[in-house]
Amino acid sequence: CHHEPAQFIPALFVGVPLYFISKVSQKPAVVIPAALLVPLGIFYGTVYASGQDLHSVDHWMFPTVENAAFFEIWTHSIGSYGDINFQAWAQTVPHLIVMLVVVFLDCMLKIIGTEGKLPVKVKVSREIGLFGAGNIITTLFGAPVGYMQLKFNVINYKILGGMDRRGGLIYALLCAVTYFTTIEHFNVLPRFFLATLLFFAGAGFIVENLWGSRRYLSVGEWCQVVLIILIFIITQDMLYAVIAGGVLTCADFVVTCAKVPCFVSNRPAISNTRRPMILRVTMNHIFERQVLVVRLKGHIFYASAHKVVSGILDRMVKDTAENVPYYQSLQFIVFDCSMVDGIDASTGKLLRKLTSEAHKQSVKIIYAEPSNDLMARMAQQSLVEKHTSTVFSDLQEALRFVEDVTLKKREVLQPFWAKLHPAIERHCQYLEWQTC
């Protein structure tokens, strides 16, 4: 309509109400054709009643469309490569890629939506395959891609009263007539008629996809949809809208996953090895400060790993800043990897940073029960080496290793305590006798 009020306003006040009427009408087979043909009849009647013809009101019409046979796209190109503007074709490639993604997603959503709107069972893979095969044939001869539209499926179902292929057959027949004969009869249609159809289709998109989706989307998700549409309206370029959608989706994914913890806390700090009660009490007392057990889960990437690593680093920095004595500071970090699916490169970088800081403070990092794939991935990220003492087959084995190291330190320190006083020495001997 070129935004001309004389054409824009009638199209708006016919197309939009027509959508809502079609939703509530019990006889859409009568209402929809009448709502489209009556304004068209008024237009033709006014033109010819005033003694004019369509050529004299060309400002109401589209530029004249010349017919071209469907096979001429090949007859005019094969052997005439000098007439092909390859540079212009190359500039359309980004739009072509965007079109393929958008068309595939939209087609799939339309097929799935049909099952929600109509009592039918749709074979998604089969339908997409049929649309793809048909589009390959039609696009080879310069036609645009096409697939079913949900609102037209609903209208067809209402008009024909159930599962009926007549609507599709009539549509295919009309397309064949224009495809194999001529398209010049479109030259007699005024611009506001196409604008009416666009408002009719656009109202369905806004009501069903945009406004209707607010019930199923969060406020943030719905605002993202609105923002993408606004970007398309402002830029008039689908590529920018798709890029913005991709960026928003990735950012939302990262933010959402960052809120999901990749670890389970409150793991037992000592092994299930049977020891005398006095030793278990000692272990609990020592491990409360010296050992940190972190049970990881899922596929760990930067956002979730950063929260874990930063928490551990804060603990180490706090111990250093507060001059915490060595016997009360963190000495072992045990990662239980039994539920880990994998790690990405950014996680490997964070863990290497943690390993470096831990080495500076004499903190030992231990990995328990990594899978073979995870072990290979960690070796690739230079986190561990095969057959190293920092990797154990399960968490209990890792904890027993830490306990053994702690008990050896206890055996070294015990004689010094015993020399402080005879009573302490006799008490230590009594404890040794109990643990035998």
Side-chain angles (χ1 to χ4, degrees):
C1 292
H2 296 307
H3 303 290
E4 296 179 10
Q7 302 192 58
F8 180 84
I9 294 177
L12 173 65
F13 283 97
V14 173
V16 175
L18 179 59
Y19 167 77
F20 293 100
I21 293 173
S22 67
K23 294 286 288 185
V24 299
S25 175
Q26 299 297 322
K27 296 181 178 181
V30 177
V31 174
I32 294 177
L36 293 175
L37 295 178
V38 168
L40 204 58
I42 294 174
F43 171 77
Y44 290 137
T46 303
V47 170
Y48 288 108
S50 62
Q52 305 180 78
D53 57 17
L54 296 180
H55 294 288
S56 59
V57 291
D58 56 353
H59 61 283
W60 285 85
M61 314 299 289
F62 285 104
T64 303
V65 179
E66 296 182 1
N67 183 62
F70 66 91
F71 52 81
E72 288 185 359
I73 188 174
W74 295 106
T75 58
H76 287 177
S77 59
I78 296 177
S80 304
Y81 302 111
D83 297 333
I84 301 175
N85 190 338
F86 288 100
Q87 184 177 1
W89 174 81
Q91 291 177 352
T92 65
V93 172
H95 298 279
L96 175 63
I97 296 173
V98 171
M99 182 272 294
L100 291 174
V101 175
V102 172
V103 165
F104 173 76
L105 293 176
D106 188 52
C107 179
M108 185 172 62
L109 292 175
K110 290 292 191 298
I111 294 174
I112 296 174
T114 299
E115 292 185 340
K117 291 285 186 179
L118 300 175
V120 296
K121 183 66 177 177
V122 182
K123 297 180 179 179
V124 179
S125 299
R126 178 178 178 275
E127 293 297 325
I128 290 181
L130 288 175
F131 288 131
N135 285 325
I136 289 175
I137 297 173
T138 56
T139 52
L140 285 175
F141 296 99
V145 296
Y147 47 91
M148 72 173 189
Q149 295 296 305
L150 178 57
K151 53 181 166 293
F152 296 138
N153 287 350
V154 175
I155 293 172
N156 180 75
Y157 187 86
K158 288 182 178 180
I159 293 176
L160 299 179
M163 299 294 295
D164 199 312
R165 295 182 179 274
R166 284 179 294 171
L169 293 174
I170 294 172
Y171 175 77
L173 179 62
L174 293 175
C175 289
V177 169
T178 60
Y179 203 69
F180 293 105
T181 59
T182 181
I183 60 171
E184 292 183 352
H185 49 266
F186 284 102
N187 292 327
V188 302
L189 295 176
R191 287 186 294 183
F192 77 83
F193 179 75
L194 178 60
T196 301
L197 295 177
L198 290 176
F199 275 114
F200 173 67
F205 170 79
I206 293 175
V207 172
E208 296 174 9
N209 295 59
L210 184 58
W211 182 249
S213 64
R214 79 192 191 284
R215 295 179 297 173
Y216 310 105
L217 301 177
S218 65
V219 176
E221 292 170 336
W222 194 74
C223 289
Q224 290 178 22
V225 175
V226 174
L227 179 60
I228 294 170
I229 295 175
L230 290 176
I231 291 174
F232 172 70
I233 294 173
I234 294 172
T235 63
Q236 296 293 309
D237 195 328
M238 180 67 76
L239 180 60
Y240 293 116
V242 172
I243 292 175
V247 171
L248 288 173
T249 303
C250 292
D252 185 62
F253 174 79
V254 171
V255 172
T256 302
C257 291
K259 297 177 182 178
V260 179
C262 67
F263 65 95
V264 180
S265 58
N266 298 326
R267 292 291 296 166
I270 62 175
S271 70
N272 55 9
T273 304
R274 293 181 62 86
R275 300 184 189 276
M277 181 57 67
I278 186 63
L279 288 185
R280 295 188 66 84
V281 172
T282 302
M283 290 298 177
N284 280 321
H285 177 69
I286 295 176
F287 278 33
E288 184 178 355
R289 293 291 303 175
Q290 294 186 0
V291 182
L292 177 64
V293 179
V294 182
R295 188 180 187 186
L296 304 174
K297 65 175 183 177
H299 189 93
I300 307 172
F301 69 110
Y302 179 83
S304 54
H306 182 268
K307 183 181 295 186
V308 177
V309 173
S310 61
I312 298 174
L313 289 175
D314 290 343
R315 164 78 182 277
M316 295 167 60
V317 170
K318 182 179 179 181
D319 287 349
T320 303
E322 296 180 357
N323 294 321
V324 176
Y326 175 74
Y327 60 87
Q328 291 186 348
S329 63
L330 185 64
Q331 297 183 24
F332 295 94
I333 302 172
V334 181
F335 288 115
D336 182 3
C337 303
S338 58
M339 299 176 64
V340 177
D341 299 324
I343 61 174
D344 65 356
S346 59
T347 302
K349 184 176 181 180
L350 286 173
L351 291 176
R352 286 196 298 272
K353 176 183 177 181
L354 176 63
T355 302
S356 176
E357 294 297 325
H359 180 72
K360 294 178 182 178
Q361 299 192 28
S362 301
V363 178
K364 192 175 186 65
I365 295 180
I366 297 173
Y367 297 94
E369 203 172 341
S371 63
N372 293 333
D373 293 338
L374 180 61
M375 184 66 187
R377 181 63 171 164
M378 291 194 299
Q380 182 188 25
Q381 295 292 323
S382 301
L383 297 175
V384 297
E385 297 179 1
K386 292 185 177 180
H387 310 296
T388 179
S389 61
T390 59
V391 180
F392 296 89
S393 60
D394 57 52
L395 179 61
Q396 295 301 319
E397 184 179 350
L399 292 176
R400 282 193 293 271
F401 168 78
V402 176
E403 291 175 358
D404 291 341
V405 173
T406 304
L407 289 175
K408 289 179 180 178
K409 291 182 179 179
R410 177 177 177 273
E411 292 176 359
V412 173
L413 295 174
Q414 199 75 13
F416 293 98
W417 284 104
K419 293 178 181 179
L420 292 177
H421 194 275
I424 297 178
E425 183 177 5
R426 287 194 295 272
H427 181 69
C428 291
Q429 291 173 354
Y430 171 75
L431 293 178
E432 290 178 3
W433 173 76
Q434 273 195 328
T435 56
C436 293

